[in-house]
Structure formats: C-alpha cells, structure tokens
Amino acid sequence: MFKDGDFIYIDYTLKIKDNGKVVDTTIEEEAKKNEIYESDKKYSPQLVILGEHRVIKGLEEGLYNLNVGDEVELEVPPEKGFGERDPGKVRVVPLSELRRQKVDPYPNMLLRMADGGYATVKSVSGGRVVLDLNHPYAGKSLVYKVKVVRAIEDKAEKVKALLARWFGLEAPEKFSLDLTENSLKVNVPLEYVLVEDLGLMMRMFAKDVLTFIGQEMVVEFTEKFDKSILSSK
Amino acid sequence: MFKDGDFIYIDYTLKIKDNGKVVDTTIEEEAKKNEIYESDKKYSPQLVILGEHRVIKGLEEGLYNLNVGDEVELEVPPEKGFGERDPGKVRVVPLSELRRQKVDPYPNMLLRMADGGYATVKSVSGGRVVLDLNHPYAGKSLVYKVKVVRAIEDKAEKVKALLARWFGLEAPEKFSLDLTENSLKVNVPLEYVLVEDLGLMMRMFAKDVLTFIGQEMVVEFTEKFDKSILSSK
C-alpha cells in the first residue's frame, strides 16, 4: 500500500484492449517482441511520485493498492485513460492541401500537426481527406500490465531519482551532490552546462525537491570553470 | 598609449566617408540627430579589450595610440573596415521568387537573408531583381569619430565589465561577486536563470575571465533556489 508523495519505480506494458496491440512499454524485450522498439529510447523502470498526476490517471490510482514486487493487470476505462472521443474533432481537408505539404495520406496514417498534436487519417476519397484530431487512444480501454519494481524512502535516493528525471539517467553518477538536513548542493559537470534549457531544468528540479523532499530545503547549483576550458573548443 | 589586453571604454560615431551618412553610434543624442535611433538599444560607451579583434580592425588599431580623454577622427580604408566589395557576390533572382516570400523589392532596399546575412537590392526590372550580397559597407571608407571615455585597471572592475558584456548592462548591480586572488564566485540571481543560453553565457564569461584576467582563475557560478519559487509561476 502506497500513499501520496511515495516514490516508486514501475515497469509497465500498455495494450489497447479492443485489438490487443501493445503500444508502449518500459521493457526493452517487450518493445522488441511487439515491434515498437526505438533505438534512442532508454528502457528502464519509470519513476512515479504518487499524487503527482504525471501518469495516466487509471494507472496511478491502481498503484496505491500495490506493494513492492506486485505484478498486476489494470484495466483502465477511456475516461481515466486518454479521454473519451470527441466526434466534433473530425475535419475534412482537401487532398491537395496535404499534397502541398508533401504528405501522401492513407487510412490509419498518423500525422504530426503544426501545433504538436496528432491526427489520424480516417479516409481518402474524391479529393477529400477525413482527419480525426482525437488522441489516437481516446475512447479506448487500456490494459496496463504493471510491476512495482522498487520504492525509495531514503532522501538521498529521492534526490538522485529527481536528478535523473530532469538531467537524464546518467546524471546521478556524473553530478556530485552534498545533502544535509535542509540543504542540497549540486555540482553541475561542464558537459551538462551547455545543454539547452539548463536554467529551466535547474528550476524544475529545485521545485520538485522543494515539493517532494522538503519545503525548507535550499537547493544550490554550482558550475566551476578553470583553464581546462581554454584548450577545448 | 594602450597595449594588448587593456580594457577601455569608447564612444564613437561611424560615418560612411563618400556620402557623409552616420550609420552607427554609441551616443543616444547622435542617434536621434541622425535618425538612426532605436528604442530597444542601450546607448552607452562600448567596452573594447585591445587585441581581441571584436571591433573593426582600423578602429582598433587607431585606439592604441590614444589616451583617456582623447577624441579623434579616424579614417579607415575598406580593407581595414568591412572589406573590399566582391563583384562576384551579385545575384539575379526572379521577381516572382521574392514576391512569393512576400517581399516587394525596390532599389536600395536591404533584405535579411535566410543565412543571417544581408543583401541590397540594386535594381528591379523586367521581372528580374539584382541583389548585392556584399556587406552594405563593403568597399566603403569609414570615418570614426571616437573618444576614449575611460580605461579600467582594477581587477574587480574588469570582472564587472565582462559580466555586463555577457549578461547585460544591469548584471553588475544584480549579481553578487566574490573575487579573491585566484577565485571568482558569481551568484546568478534567479531572474537570470531562465535566460536562453545561460550555460553558453556562463562559459563565454568564464573564458574571457581566464583569458584577460588570469589563467589561474577558477570561476564558480552558483544559483540558489528556495521555497520562494513555489509561489511564483
């Protein structure tokens, strides 16, 4: 049994109930078996902080009742999944407009829209294309096969988990940390200084530390430069 | 008389010799008088570190012979200014192509190119547009009216000058600095943490400190977050 604010790591495999198709997983082997493997994706158990609402609602709700080591199948209805389908989110566009954007549409093709959302091609005929702007899994019941791999309680481990969330899985080994009662000092290695949105990532990490580890914490980042930078580019 | 590595501040007004037109200045009043005033530009004396080659060559060369308070006119030939004109850098493009990009060209119009460079429209006729891709001041002799406003020698003042260069004119008041023999600690206020390219700016600043103040320096930035960030956006 878990409670709000607990840090747990889960492995999961997500299947669409009506066709049984596996569409997402944290397990490399499962991804390969179901032909959804992406070589630039890191397959490893995912951090969930309960009550944070960063994962699908039905999945998160189901996790509270589990214990470390439990492995279950959770069925999630659309309203606790990717939402109901909105029939109003269907558009008819001229085929010529898509062709102009160098898109040659066919049924079930998934298009990336300019606003970052997705659209599914429903049909192409008579020079007209029917696009469904609903999330591809809207209206679908989901089946999560989920296992609680571990839970962490140690403050230092939680800090490392948040560091991995914001700076990548290798960050906990590469950053040096100094954690005391109400203070966390984080030394940012130079290889991380030039990442895009450094300041934003520092702020998001600090916000998570304050929210989930303690509001009295002071989070201090440091970046140290010496003459070694003169010889690199 | 100055030497390589000296930090000086200059005010200048740049005129194109052949037509007498003022095209750049550090002085607000001059900008307004010559109708080149830009409201988002900060008019103030410009930092020049001699030997750094960040300013027009002929201008920099002329500065070595001056003293604080001197005000002179320097004539700079094209080869020490914006370079000679390259007659090969002229292109003829169809008018329709510019129209498609919603450009309605006229002679002497200055266009911003996709690669960040500029082009000057030389002529428009018979559906064809002649573009000159040379820098607008290539081939021109320049006249700089320049005054050495002050020179700085104090290490702490030099640090502040570099801080203003990389983080803006208000940074020296807003950042707190701790400078000792071989160490510089810079506290970055939170309002600066989210600026774009923070990491790049930190690195460029550090490189300048190491290059112009001392190679044994260690430059350490810190950013401190506490619960005050939970109440802001």
Side-chain angles (χ1 to χ4, degrees):
Chain A
M1 298 289 286
F2 297 113
K3 60 182 190 309
D4 278 348
D6 282 353
F7 281 48
I8 65 176
Y9 282 90
I10 60 170
D11 263 327
Y12 69 80
T13 297
L14 165 60
K15 218 160 59 179
I16 303 302
K17 192 185 175 199
D18 61 10
N19 61 13
K21 214 176 143 190
V22 169
V23 296
D24 189 17
T25 180
T26 57
I27 303 166
E28 183 165 340
E29 201 184 24
E30 286 293 323
K32 286 179 171 163
K33 207 169 74 188
N34 291 284
E35 298 179 351
I36 56 169
Y37 176 75
E38 296 170 52
S39 58
D40 57 348
K41 185 169 161 178
K42 300 264 182 203
Y43 291 90
S44 67
Q46 183 183 322
L47 172 67
V48 176
I49 304 174
L50 288 166
E52 200 190 11
H53 310 321
R54 281 169 64 105
V55 297
I56 289 294
K57 191 172 181 185
L59 170 63
E60 185 173 27
E61 287 182 2
L63 294 172
Y64 285 88
N65 305 315
L66 304 181
N67 292 300
V68 173
D70 285 356
E71 185 163 11
V72 297
E73 273 201 358
L74 294 172
E75 189 170 328
V76 175
E79 71 272 18
K80 292 190 175 182
F82 291 91
E84 300 288 359
R85 266 198 85 238
D86 176 356
K89 284 191 173 173
V90 172
R91 299 272 179 283
V92 180
V93 300
L95 178 57
S96 58
E97 190 178 315
L98 291 177
R99 286 267 164 80
R100 193 158 44 234
Q101 294 170 41
K102 313 227 185 288
V103 174
D104 195 14
Y106 52 86
N108 294 321
M109 184 182 189
L110 195 63
L111 300 177
R112 192 76 196 251
M113 308 300 279
D115 66 2
Y118 288 93
T120 309
V121 175
K122 304 309 285 182
S123 66
V124 183
S125 79
R128 304 196 320 158
V129 181
V130 179
L131 294 181
D132 185 344
L133 306 185
N134 285 287
H135 188 284
Y137 310 143
K140 305 285 188 189
S141 288
L142 313 172
V143 179
Y144 278 97
K145 187 172 167 188
V146 60
K147 180 177 183 176
V148 180
V149 177
R150 65 180 194 277
I152 52 182
E153 279 167 36
D154 179 61
K155 218 162 93 168
E157 288 301 309
K158 288 184 176 179
V159 167
K160 286 182 185 176
L162 293 174
L163 205 60
R165 168 185 278 185
W166 290 108
F167 293 91
L169 292 179
E170 292 175 1
E173 294 155 36
K174 294 197 170 172
F175 286 54
S176 65
L177 299 174
D178 178 6
L179 177 66
T180 58
E181 182 63 17
N182 281 324
S183 145
L184 170 63
K185 295 191 162 132
V186 181
N187 184 259
V188 183
L190 291 193
E191 62 185 295
Y192 284 83
V193 167
L194 294 189
V195 298
E196 223 178 319
D197 293 330
L198 173 71
L200 186 65
M201 285 154 61
M202 294 193 302
R203 194 191 159 105
M204 301 299 262
F205 169 82
K207 196 169 176 182
D208 276 356
V209 169
L210 287 156
T211 305
F212 298 113
I213 296 181
Q215 293 219 4
E216 299 311 315
M217 296 289 291
V218 175
V219 180
E220 188 175 313
F221 291 90
T222 63
E223 304 83 28
K224 211 176 232 179
F225 297 85
D226 63 22
K227 63 184 164 191
S228 65
I229 64 168
L230 294 176
S231 46
S232 59
K233 69 147 180 139
Chain B
M1 296 289 287
F2 298 114
K3 61 183 188 311
D4 278 349
D6 282 355
F7 281 48
I8 65 177
Y9 282 91
I10 60 170
D11 263 328
Y12 68 80
T13 296
L14 165 60
K15 216 161 59 178
I16 304 301
K17 192 184 176 200
D18 61 10
N19 61 12
K21 214 177 144 191
V22 169
V23 294
D24 189 16
T25 181
T26 57
I27 303 165
E28 183 166 341
E29 199 184 26
E30 287 292 322
K32 285 178 171 163
K33 207 169 72 188
N34 292 284
E35 297 176 352
I36 55 168
Y37 176 74
E38 297 170 50
S39 59
D40 58 347
K41 186 170 162 177
K42 300 263 183 203
Y43 292 90
S44 67
Q46 183 183 322
L47 172 67
V48 176
I49 305 175
L50 289 165
E52 199 191 12
H53 309 320
R54 280 168 64 105
V55 295
I56 288 294
K57 190 171 184 186
L59 170 62
E60 185 173 28
E61 287 181 2
L63 295 171
Y64 286 89
N65 305 315
L66 304 181
N67 292 299
V68 173
D70 285 356
E71 185 164 10
V72 297
E73 273 202 358
L74 293 173
E75 188 170 328
V76 175
E79 71 272 17
K80 292 190 174 180
F82 291 91
E84 300 287 359
R85 266 198 85 240
D86 175 359
K89 284 190 174 172
V90 173
R91 300 271 178 284
V92 181
V93 301
L95 178 57
S96 57
E97 189 178 315
L98 292 177
R99 287 268 165 79
R100 192 156 44 232
Q101 295 170 41
K102 312 227 184 288
V103 175
D104 196 14
Y106 52 86
N108 293 321
M109 183 183 192
L110 195 62
L111 299 177
R112 192 76 196 251
M113 308 300 279
D115 65 2
Y118 288 92
T120 308
V121 175
K122 303 310 283 183
S123 67
V124 184
S125 79
R128 306 195 321 159
V129 181
V130 178
L131 294 182
D132 185 344
L133 306 185
N134 285 287
H135 188 283
Y137 311 143
K140 305 284 187 189
S141 288
L142 313 171
V143 179
Y144 278 97
K145 188 172 166 188
V146 59
K147 179 176 182 175
V148 180
V149 177
R150 65 180 194 277
I152 53 183
E153 280 168 36
D154 180 61
K155 219 161 92 168
E157 288 300 310
K158 288 183 176 180
V159 166
K160 285 181 185 176
L162 293 173
L163 205 60
R165 167 185 279 186
W166 291 108
F167 294 90
L169 292 179
E170 292 174 1
E173 295 153 36
K174 295 197 170 173
F175 286 53
S176 67
L177 299 174
D178 178 7
L179 177 66
T180 58
E181 182 64 18
N182 281 324
S183 146
L184 170 62
K185 295 192 162 130
V186 181
N187 184 258
V188 183
L190 291 193
E191 63 183 296
Y192 284 82
V193 166
L194 294 188
V195 298
E196 222 178 321
D197 293 331
L198 173 71
L200 186 66
M201 285 155 62
M202 294 193 302
R203 193 189 160 106
M204 300 298 262
F205 170 82
K207 195 168 177 183
D208 276 357
V209 169
L210 287 156
T211 305
F212 299 114
I213 296 181
Q215 293 219 5
E216 299 311 316
M217 295 290 290
V218 174
V219 180
E220 189 176 313
F221 291 90
T222 63
E223 304 83 28
K224 212 176 232 178
F225 297 85
D226 62 23
K227 63 184 165 191
S228 65
I229 65 167
L230 294 177
S231 46
S232 60
K233 68 147 181 134

